Amino acid sequence: MKGKEKNFVSAVVYVHNDEEKIGGFLEKLLRVLGSNFEHSEIICVNDCSQDGSFEKIRKVSESALEVSVSVVHMSCYHGLEAAMNAGVDMAIGDFVFEFDRADFDFNDSVIMDVYRRSLE
């Protein structure tokens, strides 16, 4: 674990009918968190998805060795803000990343840039 950040980080991910995107998104996020932090977690907030989003999350999380992955199931559709608040309430990290959609439309390095900038 040499060279990894010591702070525990949480990533809260909003999921609503994201079956097509969530698998790739989580794989990239797992890679970034696992290679940069000693301790981290991902909390997926499943906002009453009607597709196979949960199955994709479960499949990807089975291969997660360094990062804890958990799912919060909303009982009915609550919308982005309420769902994200539920995920943030569950987060135990010293630092919490919030992803309001399962789309990695930015470079992986942005996550660490944001983290380092917040420490300044």
Side-chain angles (χ1 to χ4, degrees):
M1 290 193 200
K2 256 184 164 178
K4 291 187 179 184
E5 294 290 329
K6 306 292 186 229
N7 284 330
F8 189 110
V9 296
S10 300
V12 178
V13 181
Y14 178 75
V15 181
H16 179 72
N17 295 331
D18 289 313
E19 178 180 10
E20 299 300 318
K21 297 179 182 178
I22 192 66
F25 179 84
L26 288 177
E27 287 171 357
K28 287 183 181 180
L29 190 55
L30 284 166
R31 188 173 54 249
V32 171
L33 296 181
S35 63
N36 289 289
F37 296 95
E38 285 187 13
H39 307 286
S40 58
E41 69 175 348
I42 298 173
I43 300 171
C44 295
V45 183
N46 184 8
D47 196 11
C48 202
S49 294
Q50 301 298 311
D51 63 359
S53 295
F54 174 67
E55 289 76 19
K56 292 277 185 160
I57 295 167
R58 187 175 59 204
K59 183 178 179 187
V60 171
S61 68
E62 289 173 356
S63 64
L65 302 175
E66 298 176 334
V67 180
S68 169
V69 179
S70 51
V71 180
V72 175
H73 291 285
M74 304 301 278
S75 59
C76 61
Y77 179 76
H78 284 80
L80 177 63
E81 187 173 345
M84 290 299 286
N85 285 340
V88 169
D89 287 347
M90 297 291 296
I92 61 171
D94 301 311
F95 184 88
V96 179
F97 293 102
E98 294 182 46
F99 297 96
D100 61 359
R101 58 193 169 109
D103 194 4
F104 232 98
D105 59 352
F106 51 89
N107 191 314
D108 298 3
S109 65
V110 171
I111 293 174
M112 291 309 296
D113 293 343
V114 168
Y115 172 76
R116 288 187 188 99
R117 181 66 185 229
S118 71
L119 295 178
E120 292 179 357

